[in-house]
């Protein structure tokens, strides 16, 4: 495990310029493609807006369109067509907005994210964000049930001249009532080819292809070249659990093998062609590299500037400098990056900010386009002494994982109405495992 340490400095000065920001934004609704079920549900929401903009409570209509039916484990489309938000802006402003709709699909947390879209907002007029589309995954093990979709929270990032202001709207009660449903087929998931043993060889190589989710009984398998059958076929069987085994002998050039009836892609096969002449074996050993989080010596301090005590709770915004993740292990493992922090205090004076809360809206991006994996940002939340997941890479099963990534995110510091005027510091530590 390696760590990257970030120092945060907080200065509270009497007489300095005041800055008071809070979260604000709109709640979104869902709509979708043709031949799908549509449902409109008014959802009571509570939105918090940046001072001096007042927040708002009220109903917002969610119109959700999803397929009538799906299979367990299947990824299905969903489109979001936001209605008017309850917040009435005080100012006319131009921003670039990104909306993250946090849903519970059959109780499983999933997020649908909009593209960044320019937004022109008129003062004293409710915003009406444009529609956007995404996907959700039907949870495994839900065969034969009806999966309910509820809204847990909606976060809007508004980019104003390079500064991002995050708006959070929360259903009340949380999560919302069902805003959509999908009937999950009782049939098994789509059959897939999972492994070839071996996955390379010359003409005459005997290969065992395995698969999952097949109907119990006999199966056949085929060799392919550029997507077309080569003529090499084999036979096998699937047991009651859907696990299939098929034996095939490769007699001619092929680049993939599949168990017939499985969904794409077929598993790749490396065909070794015989060549006449003197053989010169060339060996190479590829050693695993590290799983590292950097920079090694830590990040520069993130400053939130100065704030003036005014008897009211205040929030200020900043950004975490992006840490680098390098996964050169050459395997199928995943990783998690977590964050913890120490209390805000001044060791010289003994003053503390016990009631201050430091939040992060994590981000994770792929920095090397050749990376075999993607990464997933964690859910926004408060950083405390308990590890909070800010980013992760899923394990690959039979597939290669790894790559290079950048982990960071927007930061928000919430301060109490009254405190000692002093300089405070907290140390946030990012760790990877």
């Amino acid at each position: 495990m390696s760590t990257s340490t970030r120092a945060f400095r907080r200065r509270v000065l009497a007489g300095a310029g005041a800055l008071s920001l809070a979260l604000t934004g709109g709640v979104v609704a869902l709509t979708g493609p043709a031949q799908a079920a549509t449902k409109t549900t008014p959802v009571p929401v509570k939105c918090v807006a940046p001072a001096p903009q007042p927040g708002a409570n009220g109903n917002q209509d969610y119109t959700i369109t999803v397929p009538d039916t799906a299979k367990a484990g299947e990824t299905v489309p969903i489109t979001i067509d936001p209605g008017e938000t309850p917040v009435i802006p005080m100012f006319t402003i131009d921003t670039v907005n990104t909306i993250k709709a946090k849903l519970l699909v059959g109780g499983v947390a999933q997020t649908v994210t909009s593209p960044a879209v320019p937004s022109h907002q008129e003062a004293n007029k409710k915003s009406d964000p444009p529609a956007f589309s995404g996907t959700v995954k039907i949870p495994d093990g839900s065969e034969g049930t009806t999966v309910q979709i509820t809204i847990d929270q909606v976060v809007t990032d508004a980019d104003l001249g390079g500064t991002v202001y995050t708006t959070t709207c929360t259903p009340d009660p949380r999560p919302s009532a069902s805003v959509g449903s999908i009937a999950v087929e009782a049939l098994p998931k789509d059959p897939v080819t999972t492994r070839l043993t071996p996955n390379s060889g010359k003409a005459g190589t005997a290969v065992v292809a395995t698969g999952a989710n097949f109907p119990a009984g006999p199966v056949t398998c085929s060799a392919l070249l550029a997507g077309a059958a080569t003529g090499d076929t084999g036979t096998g069987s699937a047991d009651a659990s859907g696990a299939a085994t098929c034996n095939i002998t490769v007699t001619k050039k092929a680049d993939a093998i599949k168990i017939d009836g499985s969904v794409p892609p077929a598993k790749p096969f490396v065909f070794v062609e015989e060549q006449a002449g003197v053989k010169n074996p060339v060996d190479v050993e590829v050693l695993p590299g590290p799983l590292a989080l950097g920079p090694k010596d830590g990040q520069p301090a993130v400053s939130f500037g100065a704030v003036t005590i005014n008897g009211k709770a205040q929030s200020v915004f900043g950004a975490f400098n992006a840490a680098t993740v390098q996964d050169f292990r050459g395997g199928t493992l995943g990783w998690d990056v977590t964050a913890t922090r120490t209390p805000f205090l001044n060791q010289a004076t003994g003053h503390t900010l016990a009631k201050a809360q430091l939040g992060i809206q994590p981000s994770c991006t792929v920095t090397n386009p050749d990376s075999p994996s993607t990464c997933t940002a964690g859910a926004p939340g408060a950083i405390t002494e308990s590890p909070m997941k800010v980013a992760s890479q899923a394990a690959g099963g039979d597939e290669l994982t790894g790559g290079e990534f950048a982990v960071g995110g927007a930061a928000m510091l919430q301060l109490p109405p009254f405190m000692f005027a002093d300089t405070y510091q907290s140390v946030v530590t990012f760790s990877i495992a």
Side-chain angles (χ1 to χ4, degrees), residues 53-290:
Q53 167 68 47
N57 302 337
N59 285 343
Q60 185 163 358
D61 289 342
Y62 284 75
T63 303
I64 299 207
T65 304
V66 288
D68 289 306
T69 61
K71 293 182 178 180
E74 184 179 4
T75 298
V76 299
I78 189 170
T79 302
I80 301 176
D81 184 10
E84 289 187 340
T85 72
V87 176
I88 302 177
M90 298 172 60
F91 310 103
T92 297
I93 193 169
D94 290 292
T95 58
V96 178
N97 293 352
T98 303
I99 301 174
K100 299 181 180 72
K102 296 183 179 183
L103 310 176
L104 296 178
V105 182
V108 178
Q110 302 186 41
T111 301
V112 179
T113 303
S114 78
V117 177
S119 173
H120 176 76
Q121 181 60 55
E122 294 287 342
N124 301 315
K125 181 180 178 181
K126 293 182 179 180
S127 68
D128 190 2
F132 61 93
S133 298
T135 60
V136 293
K137 183 179 179 181
I138 308 302
D140 289 328
S142 60
E143 292 90 340
T145 67
T146 298
V147 169
Q148 303 296 330
I149 300 172
T150 60
I151 298 169
D152 184 57
Q153 199 172 62
V154 174
V155 176
T156 301
D157 289 339
D159 188 328
L160 178 61
T163 300
V164 176
Y165 298 95
T166 298
T167 292
T168 302
C169 287
T170 305
D172 183 26
R174 177 182 182 184
S176 71
S178 176
V179 293
S181 62
I182 301 174
V184 184
E185 297 179 16
L187 300 175
K189 294 180 287 186
D190 290 330
V192 293
T193 303
T194 57
R195 184 191 291 269
L196 303 180
T197 309
N199 62 359
S200 65
K202 59 186 180 180
T205 299
V207 177
V208 178
T210 58
N213 308 323
F214 285 85
V219 296
T220 59
C221 47
S222 306
L224 308 173
L225 180 62
T230 67
D232 288 336
T233 61
T235 60
S237 63
D239 63 20
S241 71
T245 301
C246 190
N247 297 286
I248 184 173
T249 299
V250 177
T251 65
K252 53 182 71 71
K253 186 174 182 179
D255 59 16
I257 295 173
K258 69 171 184 176
I259 300 178
D260 297 327
S262 65
V263 299
K267 303 302 289 184
F269 181 83
V270 179
F271 186 79
V272 181
E273 298 192 60
E274 287 287 348
Q275 298 178 349
V278 178
K279 303 289 191 282
N280 289 271
V282 178
D283 294 337
V284 60
E285 181 181 10
V286 178
L287 300 177

Side-chain angles (χ1 to χ4, degrees), residues 18-45:
L19 174 63
S20 178
L21 297 175
L23 299 179
T24 183
V27 178
V28 297
L30 305 178
T31 182
Q35 299 180 345
T38 300
K39 177 183 178 182
T40 300
T41 306
V43 177
V45 296

